[in-house]
Amino acid sequence: MNRIPKILLTALAFFLSQPIWAQMPVEMADTMRADGKIRVVIGVVAIIFIGIVVYLIRLEMRMKRIEKRIQE
Amino acid sequence: MIKGAWWKLTSAVLVLYGLIAGFSFDVPRLPILNESIRNLYFHVGMWFAMMALFLGSSIYSIRYLRQGKVQDDQKASGAASVGMLFGSLGLLTGMLWAKFTWGAFWVNDPKLNGTAISLLIYLAYFVLRQSMEDHTKRARISAVYNLFAFAIMITFIQVLPRLTDSLHPGNGGNPAFSNYDLDSTMRLVFYPIIIGWIGLGYWVLDLRQRWKEINTKLNDNE
């Protein structure tokens, strides 16, 4: 008689715990983006990529010059 | 003005936008993946570029078989080689990502094994090319092999993983980009950067091809 409520309580606790487990916060880099200077990293990545593209464009210019010379 | 400036600079701008937005825009909060979900913009981009280059490569091969122009054969092998570069980058970035989400650098997943086999098949394409001295024969046989390699690659990467179960999203019976896999903010970054990566791949191919053609002309003059 006394056991049944205990089992029920356990079951209730188990089912209640499901949504709580599902709501557990997923770890994301929130603070890093807020004050962790992630924008500095974005800036660095952007500068590197722009640098590579500028180099590619200069390579294109040189390629064009050599193509002209070979046409003549 | 540089040759093909509009599409080259457009792809550069798209990738630059993707790099900046890819780090700063909000992403879905998912367990296990955490912030690494942002890898989608970069890792998957490599595969899209590879597929686009291999597709281009087989189109050049078909053109070579129909018209017999040397340039088409050069472009076919060039696109395959730039495609291999992007494929290797995709494999390496995927291994790093897998280590921190699936727990190992390599897992026994049909998509991973299929990709490895496909890259080996494309590697054999270059071995085949180097094994033949005669230019016409080399171009013809490797063009036919290239079409075969493309068909096998599509089967191994796009078909078989969908028939069985795969750890990759969109596999095991689902289309790759269902509503559930990619949320709308991520699409704003994903689609532009994919186009950018593909364009960047073709930029490299263009430079390689022009260098090849100069080389051919110089050799003919000697």
Side-chain angles (χ1 to χ4, degrees):
Chain A
M1 182 72 193
N2 217 1
R3 284 182 72 106
I4 298 160
K6 256 187 193 167
I7 291 167
L8 275 177
L9 267 180
T10 318
L12 193 67
F14 178 75
F15 285 117
L16 274 179
S17 73
Q18 290 305 304
I20 293 164
W21 173 80
Q23 281 163 18
M24 269 222 322
V26 176
E27 202 180 319
M28 298 297 256
D30 293 314
T31 46
M32 183 164 83
R33 271 207 306 289
D35 47 36
K37 298 178 184 166
I38 191 72
R39 293 194 200 290
V40 182
V41 181
I42 300 172
V44 167
V45 171
I47 289 170
I48 290 173
F49 186 70
I50 290 171
I52 292 171
V53 169
V54 167
Y55 187 86
L56 268 175
I57 291 170
R58 284 174 51 107
L59 205 62
E60 285 271 356
M61 308 265 202
R62 270 185 241 158
M63 189 68 114
K64 189 148 205 172
R65 244 177 282 146
I66 212 164
E67 277 171 339
K68 257 188 196 151
R69 267 179 60 196
I70 222 138
Q71 290 293 336
E72 282 158 10
Chain B
M1 246 346 219
I2 60 175
K3 195 182 158 219
W6 69 271
W7 65 266
K8 285 173 185 168
L9 297 181
T10 305
S11 2
V13 168
L14 286 176
V15 172
L16 182 64
Y17 157 77
L19 289 173
I20 295 168
F23 279 115
S24 34
F25 282 13
D26 275 336
V27 289
R29 309 173 75 92
L30 300 173
I32 301 172
L33 273 176
N34 306 91
E35 291 283 356
S36 85
I37 195 172
R38 292 175 198 278
N39 273 347
L40 189 88
Y41 308 133
F42 314 116
H43 162 75
V44 182
M46 298 297 106
W47 296 116
F48 270 78
M50 182 198 79
M51 300 278 279
L53 282 155
F54 282 171
L55 177 70
S57 175
S58 52
I59 291 171
Y60 288 129
S61 279
I62 292 173
R63 268 202 1 208
Y64 175 78
L65 288 172
R66 293 180 66 155
Q67 300 167 353
K69 278 191 195 144
V70 189
Q71 284 96 324
D72 283 332
D73 175 54
Q74 285 174 342
K75 280 180 192 166
S77 86
S81 130
V82 181
M84 285 282 283
L85 167 71
F86 278 93
S88 316
L89 290 174
L91 211 60
L92 287 173
T93 52
M95 281 169 75
L96 183 65
W97 198 5
K99 175 72 188 161
F100 292 98
T101 47
W102 298 337
F105 285 113
W106 198 271
V107 291
N108 212 1
D109 181 81
K111 197 123 175 160
L112 270 73
N113 292 335
T115 311
I117 292 168
S118 305
L119 285 179
L120 287 176
I121 286 172
Y122 270 94
L123 205 66
Y125 168 76
F126 296 103
V127 177
L128 180 74
R129 285 184 73 85
Q130 281 172 358
S131 68
M132 280 177 282
E133 285 288 318
D134 182 51
H135 285 265
T136 329
K137 195 173 152 196
R138 174 172 72 195
R140 277 233 181 124
I141 291 175
S142 64
V144 174
Y145 179 86
N146 194 22
L147 294 177
F148 162 79
F150 186 70
I152 293 279
M153 191 269 295
I154 292 292
T155 315
F156 271 118
I157 298 182
Q158 298 295 356
V159 181
L160 288 183
R162 281 190 173 74
L163 297 179
T164 55
D165 235 358
S166 170
L167 285 166
H168 278 85
N171 290 291
N174 301 314
F177 298 108
S178 63
N179 296 332
Y180 312 104
D181 289 336
L182 203 57
D183 85 337
S184 52
T185 323
M186 287 192 83
R187 280 170 206 269
L188 283 180
V189 185
F190 184 70
Y191 293 137
I193 203 172
I194 289 298
I195 298 168
W197 286 127
I198 293 173
L200 222 61
Y202 272 89
W203 190 349
V204 177
L205 172 63
D206 179 70
L207 277 174
R208 188 186 190 280
Q209 179 56 24
R210 282 153 73 194
W211 165 74
K212 271 259 152 116
E213 277 170 24
I214 290 169
N215 216 15
T216 317
K217 267 183 193 150
L218 285 175
N219 284 340
D220 289 348
N221 285 350
E222 272 167 13

